[in-house]
């Protein structure tokens, strides 16, 4: 005959956000229009501001469908319209008005703004190789310093978290921003920063020499589970 103590089951731990914390879903904008030398992008505060490409509008719709069933308490966008356009389908589905957070805009590329970064990358400009070797944006002439970039992102996310305790926020932002945020998370003194992957989840890491590239963490789309 079993005792009450023998009948107790101890399931594997399932992650839950600590009380007072804020869940932030970082969404990169959909694909933007291609750069053309004869038709430069409009600029906002010196930064290129292209529309979404047709594929980018499809990306926006798909993001809206994926997140529409989630509890999202607020939506944030940047000053650049590709984030506003990507957030629009979700904002409409949820009846939320996106909040503009200027400090979550993309890294300022200095002399390589307005499509030149794409052009020089495609052409194999020597500074592009240096950028990847040193992993610093400010090797580009006139670009925003990496320290300033990281500080403004941390400040913006800290403000958002302070405004939304115990809430879930969708932040529509840029590739460089997401890269920097996860780089900062990876340098966290918290050894357990990435502890809590769900059972059956998929995380994706690419190793190339000494470079470790995070491509995906705790993706549970195939399990039909909510984003938690």
């Amino acid at each position: 005959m079993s005792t009450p103590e023998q009948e107790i089951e101890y399931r594997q731990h399932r992650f839950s956000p600590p009380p007072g914390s804020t869940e932030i879903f970082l969404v990169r904008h959909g694909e933007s229009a291609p750069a053309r030398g004869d038709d430069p992008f409009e600029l906002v505060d010196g930064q290129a501001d292209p529309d979404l490409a047709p594929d980018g509008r499809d990306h926006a719709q798909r993001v809206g469908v994926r997140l529409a069933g989630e509890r999202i308490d607020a939506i944030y966008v940047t000053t650049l319209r590709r984030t506003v356009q990507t957030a629009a389908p979700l904002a409409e589905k949820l009846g939320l008005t996106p909040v503009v957070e200027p400090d979550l805009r993309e890294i300022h590329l200095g002399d390589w703004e307005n499509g030149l970064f794409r052009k020089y990358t495609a052409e194999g400009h020597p500074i592009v190789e240096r950028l990847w070797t040193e992993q610093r944006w400010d090797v580009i002439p006139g670009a925003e310093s990496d320290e300033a970039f990281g500080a403004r992102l941390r400040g913006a996310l800290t403000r958002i978290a302070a405004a939304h305790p115990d809430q879930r926020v969708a932040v529509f932002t840029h590739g460089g921003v997401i890269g920097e945020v996860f780089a900062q998370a990876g340098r966290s003194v918290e050894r357990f920063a990435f502890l809590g992957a769900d059972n059956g989840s998929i995380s994706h890491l690419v190793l190339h020499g000494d470079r470790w590239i995070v491509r995906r963490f705790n993706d549970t789309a195939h399990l039909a589970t909510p984003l938690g």
Side-chain angles (χ1 to χ4, degrees):
M1 184 176 192
S2 61
T3 65
E5 182 176 349
Q6 290 173 322
E7 294 175 354
I8 297 175
E9 294 182 343
Y10 298 94
R11 296 187 63 178
Q12 285 190 305
H13 171 75
R14 294 186 179 183
F15 175 81
S16 59
S21 64
T22 304
E23 291 186 76
I24 297 178
F25 300 116
L26 291 165
V27 181
R28 188 184 181 189
H29 61 78
E31 182 180 343
S32 58
R36 295 186 176 91
D38 60 346
D39 187 19
F41 298 134
E42 294 181 19
L43 298 178
V44 172
D45 296 326
Q47 288 186 278
D49 190 31
D51 273 317
L52 288 183
D55 281 353
R57 296 185 186 278
D58 180 63
H59 296 155
Q61 293 294 334
R62 291 173 182 271
V63 169
V65 170
R66 176 82 188 274
L67 294 178
E70 299 293 333
R71 176 176 65 82
I72 302 292
D73 300 290
I75 295 173
Y76 281 78
V77 296
T78 78
T79 55
L80 301 173
R81 60 184 164 182
R82 54 196 183 271
T83 65
V84 178
Q85 292 167 340
T86 305
L90 179 64
E92 182 178 2
K93 290 176 185 296
L94 299 182
L96 294 174
T97 300
V99 179
V100 177
E101 173 47 76
D103 280 348
L104 288 174
R105 68 191 181 278
E106 184 62 286
I107 180 79
H108 195 292
L109 296 175
D111 295 352
W112 284 20
E113 276 291 345
N114 213 1
L116 287 179
F117 178 79
R118 300 185 192 184
K119 177 178 185 292
Y120 291 150
T121 298
E123 294 175 349
H125 194 290
I127 287 181
V128 173
E129 181 178 352
R130 183 182 167 198
L131 181 150
W132 284 104
T133 299
E134 299 184 20
Q135 299 199 23
R136 293 192 61 87
W137 290 105
D138 53 11
V139 300
I140 297 172
E144 182 177 10
S145 76
D146 291 74
E147 290 74 20
F149 181 46
R152 70 170 165 86
L153 297 185
R154 182 173 288 274
L157 292 177
T158 299
R159 289 193 299 273
I160 289 173
H164 299 280
D166 294 312
Q167 292 187 331
R168 309 173 101 201
V169 178
V171 173
F172 288 77
T173 185
H174 307 269
V177 170
I178 295 171
E180 173 63 22
V181 168
F182 272 83
Q184 290 195 29
R187 291 194 295 265
S188 171
V189 296
E190 297 276 350
R191 174 169 286 176
F192 295 161
F194 288 97
L195 195 65
D198 289 311
N199 292 113
S201 66
I202 297 172
S203 296
H204 184 187
L205 189 68
V206 176
L207 274 63
H208 182 246
D210 292 334
R211 291 178 60 206
W212 288 27
I213 306 166
V214 177
R215 293 289 295 159
R216 184 180 291 105
F217 174 72
N218 200 45
D219 188 332
T220 59
H222 54 293
L223 302 178
T225 58
L227 290 170

